[in-house]
């Protein structure tokens, strides 16, 4: 029997699912520890986070923790994988567009003069793995947003699985009941042996929707899934409606072709990278996803759905 718990963290809703009731408590504790570490390290909204200190460094070399270094490495890899469609140097750009605090606190302050800053690309990030030193050149700021969220899901699932095995005394890897699924606002990672029928997952525009809400229910047994959407995190600035996925080439919100992109991959970092890039690319995403053999569900603004690489076709999908 699947057991579940939920709580807020990282500005979103967190769900922890385990394949047995006795595994839930140690899993939740492990997830909470991992998310706290990610928040203290990678948050753009905490003035005391490591990332905030790095962004205030005015281009000076800064020694960082192994966790922040790993997150930056993941972000650089994502940028290279997508030819710059997912770029971590958009921190200042999205801050200038008004997304400079927790989303729930955003308000339209009336007419403003907009300064747009396109991405700098990974060439402005200098990293020394030997000393864990990082330097950001050119006045750019780092936003780890989607990458940090995917990394948090991956690390949390791994930590929860380890905690389950330690506290629940499962004798062997793959024992029924030792599996766990961690979902951060709909971006999820799986570790350990899934329940007999797999994990049921609602894929939808809004991660907070109930399981019987609009969307498509699929089943996963391993790996990860991430969804990027322009429909939920929207705000108004100077009377102009914006969304949070920027096109690094322009520094402005990406043109809306897909309203939602959901991708399955081996890790949540990779799934989130592909989903975010798909929103930025629009129709070009189809060929890239096919080339990289990533199952995906892409929903256009009018509700029409495109399925890629074996994603199960739903008989009916609510718009």
């Amino acid at each position: 029997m699947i057991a579940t718990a939920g709580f807020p963290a990282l500005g979103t809703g967190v769900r922890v699912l385990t394949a047995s009731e006795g595994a839930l408590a140690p899993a939740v504790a492990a997830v909470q520890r991992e998310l706290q570490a990610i928040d203290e390290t990678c948050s753009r909204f905490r003035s005391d986070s490591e990332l905030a200190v790095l962004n205030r460094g005015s281009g000076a070399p800064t020694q960082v923790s192994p966790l922040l270094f790993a997150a930056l490495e993941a972000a650089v890899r994502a940028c290279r994988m997508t030819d710059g469609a997912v770029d971590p140097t958009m921190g200042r750009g999205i801050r200038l567009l008004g997304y400079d605090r927790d989303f729930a606190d955003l308000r339209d302050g009336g007419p403003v003069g907009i300064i747009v800053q396109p991405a700098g690309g990974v060439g402005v990030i200098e990293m020394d793995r030997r000393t864990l030193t990082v330097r950001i050149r050119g006045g750019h700021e780092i936003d780890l947003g989607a990458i940090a969220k995917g990394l948090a899901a991956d690390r949390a699932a791994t930590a929860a699985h380890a905690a389950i095995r330690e506290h629940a005394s499962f004798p062997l890897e793959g024992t029924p009941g030792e599996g766990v699924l961690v979902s951060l606002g709909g971006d999820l990672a799986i570790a350990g042996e899934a329940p007999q029928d797999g994990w049921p997952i609602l894929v939808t525009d809004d991660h907070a929707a109930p399981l019987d809400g609009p969307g498509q229910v699929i089943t996963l047994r391993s790996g990860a899934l991430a969804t990027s959407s322009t429909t939920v995190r929207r705000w108004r600035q100077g009377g102009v409606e914006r969304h949070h996925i920027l096109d690094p080439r322009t520094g402005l919100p990406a043109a809306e072709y897909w309203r939602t992109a959901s991708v399955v991959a081996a890790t949540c970092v990779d799934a989130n990278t592909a989903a975010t890039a798909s929103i930025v690319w629009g129709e070009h995403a189809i060929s890239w996803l096919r080339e990289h053999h990533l199952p995906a569900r892409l929903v256009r603004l009018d509700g029409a759905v495109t399925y890629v690489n074996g994603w199960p076709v739903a008989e009916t999908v609510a718009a």
Side-chain angles (χ1 to χ4, degrees), residues 92-198:
R92 186 166 185 264
I94 197 164
R95 179 171 60 81
L96 291 172
L97 288 176
Y99 194 0
D100 56 355
R101 69 209 75 178
D102 283 340
F103 188 79
D105 297 329
L106 287 179
R107 298 289 186 273
D108 187 351
V112 293
I114 297 298
I115 302 173
V116 175
Q117 179 171 330
V122 295
V124 305
I125 306 175
E126 298 178 1
M127 302 176 65
D128 186 331
R129 185 181 287 108
R130 181 179 58 84
T131 61
L132 296 181
T133 300
V134 180
R135 179 185 177 216
I136 312 299
R137 298 185 289 105
H140 293 277
E141 298 173 10
I142 300 297
D143 174 22
L144 292 173
I147 296 300
K149 189 179 176 186
L151 184 65
D154 289 330
R155 289 175 59 94
T158 298
H161 181 231
I164 290 169
R165 290 184 51 74
E166 178 182 352
H167 290 84
S169 300
F170 288 102
L172 296 172
E173 186 79 14
T175 301
E178 49 93 24
V180 61
L181 181 152
V182 177
S183 172
L184 308 181
D187 291 357
L188 60 92
I190 296 167
E193 185 74 9
Q196 183 175 356
D197 296 328

Side-chain angles (χ1 to χ4, degrees), residues 2-240:
I2 294 177
T4 180
F7 54 91
L10 304 183
T12 191
V14 179
R15 301 293 297 178
V16 181
L17 285 71
T18 57
S20 66
E21 185 70 38
L24 186 60
V28 168
V31 169
Q32 289 175 329
R33 287 193 296 270
E34 285 296 327
L35 299 189
Q36 181 177 351
I38 289 285
D39 190 42
E40 293 172 351
T41 302
C42 301
S43 174
R44 189 167 58 85
F45 307 115
R46 291 181 56 149
S47 61
D48 61 344
S49 74
E50 271 200 87
L51 181 62
V53 172
L54 177 64
N55 281 336
R56 291 196 300 265
S58 301
T62 303
Q63 191 171 47
V64 302
S65 68
L67 177 54
L68 182 54
F69 199 89
L72 289 166
E73 284 189 315
V76 168
R77 175 175 173 269
C79 189
R80 289 174 174 155
M81 282 175 55
T82 61
D83 294 324
V86 178
D87 192 309
T89 65
M90 292 302 299
R92 186 166 185 264
I94 197 164
R95 179 171 60 81
L96 291 172
L97 288 176
Y99 194 0
D100 56 355
R101 69 209 75 178
D102 283 340
F103 188 79
D105 297 329
L106 287 179
R107 298 289 186 273
D108 187 351
V112 293
I114 297 298
I115 302 173
V116 175
Q117 179 171 330
V122 295
V124 305
I125 306 175
E126 298 178 1
M127 302 176 65
D128 186 331
R129 185 181 287 108
R130 181 179 58 84
T131 61
L132 296 181
T133 300
V134 180
R135 179 185 177 216
I136 312 299
R137 298 185 289 105
H140 293 277
E141 298 173 10
I142 300 297
D143 174 22
L144 292 173
I147 296 300
K149 189 179 176 186
L151 184 65
D154 289 330
R155 289 175 59 94
T158 298
H161 181 231
I164 290 169
R165 290 184 51 74
E166 178 182 352
H167 290 84
S169 300
F170 288 102
L172 296 172
E173 186 79 14
T175 301
E178 49 93 24
V180 61
L181 181 152
V182 177
S183 172
L184 308 181
D187 291 357
L188 60 92
I190 296 167
E193 185 74 9
Q196 183 175 356
D197 296 328
W199 299 104
I201 298 162
L202 175 66
V203 182
T204 181
D205 289 349
D206 186 356
H207 68 84
L211 192 58
D212 60 353
Q216 179 187 11
V217 177
I218 65 170
T219 300
L220 286 181
R221 304 192 66 84
S222 62
L225 179 149
T227 295
S228 291
S229 177
T230 63
T231 63
V232 179
R233 289 183 182 267
R234 303 181 73 96
W235 71 99
R236 297 185 68 82
Q237 183 193 46
V240 177

